[in-house]
């Protein structure tokens, strides 16, 4: 029994109840609905960059301005897309994930409120 657990239930039981709850399944689903498509898009974008760099030398060495090439632009856009994905995730998490996670945490820490 945990000293911080007022219900007296073993910690494993509390975790199992939280894990099996509809709210936790919803949280996991929301996370997966963002992460899997975004990861797939990013990996496809990165694969395109690698394949173009390896097989389309002429295209990637096309000069845009001065010595600035399409390949360099695509490489810089990899960084931009990483920051964009991070920003989108933080925004999504703040709106869709964190409130639900906070509710689950409150239910675990304050089981007496659940019936109210």
């Amino acid at each position: 029994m945990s000293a911080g657990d007022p219900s007296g239930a073993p910690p494993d039981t509390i975790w199992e109840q939280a894990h099996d709850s509809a709210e936790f399944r919803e949280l996991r689903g929301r996370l997966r609905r963002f992460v899997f498509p975004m990861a797939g898009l990013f990996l496809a974008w990165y694969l395109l960059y690698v394949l173009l760099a390896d097989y389309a030398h002429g295209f990637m060495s096309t000069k845009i301005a001065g010595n600035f090439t399409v390949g360099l632009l695509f490489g810089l856009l990899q960084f931009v897309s990483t920051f964009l994905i991070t920003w989108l995730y933080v925004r999504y998490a703040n709106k869709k994930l964190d409130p639900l996670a906070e509710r689950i945490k409150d239910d675990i820490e304050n089981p007496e409120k659940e019936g109210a």
Side-chain angles (χ1 to χ4, degrees), residues 43-56:
L43 289 173
W45 161 239
Y46 184 71
L47 181 62
L48 174 68
Y49 172 64
V50 170
L51 291 174
L52 287 173
D54 195 31
Y55 296 108

Side-chain angles (χ1 to χ4, degrees), residues 34 38 81 83-94:
F34 181 88
M38 195 60 69
S81 63
F83 288 113
L84 177 64
I85 290 169
T86 302
W87 176 74
L88 288 170
Y89 175 76
V90 168
R91 201 170 130 213
Y92 182 81
N94 286 339

Side-chain angles (χ1 to χ4, degrees), residues 2 19 27 29 33 47 56-57 71 79 83 85 92 102 110 113:
S2 168
H19 185 267
L27 178 63
R33 280 190 294 275
L47 181 62
H57 297 279
F79 289 102
F83 288 113
I85 290 169
Y92 182 81
E102 193 63 35
N110 304 306
K113 279 179 31 180

